[in-house]
Amino acid sequence: MLRDREAILTFVDEVEKEYGKIDILVNNAGITKDGLLMRMTEDQWDAVINVNLKGVFNMTQAVSRSMLKARKGSIITLSSVVGLHGNAGQTNYAATKGGVVAMSKTWAKEFGGRNVRANCVAPGFIQTPMTDVLSEDTIKGMLDATPLGRLGQVEDIANAVLFLASDESSFITGEVISVSGGLML
Ligand SMILES: NC(=O)c1ccc[n+]([C@@H]2O[C@H](COP(=O)([O-])OP(=O)(O)OC[C@H]3O[C@@H](n4cnc5c(N)ncnc54)[C@H](O)[C@@H]3O)[C@@H](O)[C@H]2O)c1
């Protein structure tokens, strides 16, 4: 759906009609299509850019109108440690995850005067279907580079998102919270 602006506008319209306004947007959906730069196809590049970057643009543009009108809102976008440090084999993914940080900092500046905040959460290595497909060697390498010595769980990410969604973080905007067990790529 994220690649379809019309579908997003219809969806956001329906949510606004049902609930009156939208207070929180979590841009969570994301995909990978990995490959070393020399082997990466244009299709791999386009697919990841269209969902992870353009999808976030589409969704945030559609939802922020309601937030700006209400003079309140929190936009949280899932980045990645890969977007902050880079990762071999993930040119497309890293570009999108760094891009959402830059977009969020821009929105923090554009929307701050209307009390609408924009922040990112940058997960490290989290146990989900996205990482279930990785080889044992890759997993071992990631664990060795994680000072806390374990995979993250979805609850670890959800807790950070919840904090940024709540008024507990009402003076925080334009920031990135890494939830990575200390992972340095
Ligand atoms: N799992 C990790 O270790 C990890 C690490 C860093 C960042 N992240 C980020 O966290 C977020 C969630 O990742 P995850 O591990 O839960 O991934 P996942 O693959 O388990 O889930 C991704 C979700 O995105 C949805 N999605 C994909 N394309 C879509 C589209 N075009 N329109 C609507 N929905 C679409 C899928 O249906 C799925 O529900 C992603 O943005 C990912 O890049 C994950």
Side-chain angles (χ1 to χ4, degrees):
M1 183 184 95
L2 286 173
R3 288 164 294 186
D4 183 345
R5 279 175 70 83
E6 281 309 309
I8 287 176
L9 290 175
T10 307
F11 169 70
V12 170
D13 208 41
E14 280 168 9
V15 174
E16 280 172 357
K17 276 195 188 115
E18 178 87 17
Y19 297 98
K21 62 185 169 74
I22 299 175
D23 302 300
I24 299 157
L25 169 64
V26 182
N27 287 309
N28 178 65
I31 60 168
T32 52
K33 298 243 180 251
D34 296 349
L36 293 171
L37 177 64
M38 287 305 164
R39 289 196 211 123
M40 187 169 285
T41 65
E42 195 177 348
D43 282 351
Q44 282 175 303
W45 170 263
D46 287 344
V48 173
I49 297 290
N50 279 335
V51 175
N52 296 11
L53 201 59
K54 196 170 175 191
V56 171
F57 163 77
N58 284 337
M59 190 55 102
T60 305
Q61 194 177 49
V63 170
S64 56
R65 194 180 306 275
S66 163
M67 292 179 170
L68 293 170
K69 217 163 102 191
R71 293 184 173 268
K72 187 169 167 56
S74 178
I75 300 161
I76 301 133
T77 302
L78 272 291
S79 175
S80 167
V81 288
V82 167
L84 307 178
H85 303 288
N87 196 26
Q90 293 196 306
T91 293
N92 49 2
Y93 185 76
T96 64
K97 294 302 178 179
V100 297
V101 170
M103 293 202 296
S104 298
K105 287 179 183 287
T106 300
W107 300 330
K109 290 179 178 173
E110 287 189 11
F111 301 159
R114 295 275 188 117
N115 193 32
V116 174
R117 302 181 293 114
N119 293 287
C120 286
V121 171
F125 195 50
I126 313 299
Q127 195 164 17
T128 72
M130 184 178 272
T131 49
D132 285 346
V133 296
L134 298 175
S135 70
E136 267 182 37
D137 273 0
T138 306
I139 292 177
K140 189 180 175 311
M142 288 289 186
L143 284 179
D144 287 347
T146 303
L148 288 182
R150 67 168 175 90
L151 296 179
Q153 299 300 314
V154 289
E155 289 77 12
D156 294 316
I157 305 305
N159 287 336
V161 171
L162 187 60
F163 169 66
L164 290 173
S166 76
D167 287 343
E168 301 294 311
S169 60
S170 61
F171 201 48
I172 299 177
T173 194
E175 294 294 342
V176 185
I177 300 182
S178 288
V179 182
S180 66
L183 173 67
M184 298 291 166
L185 285 170

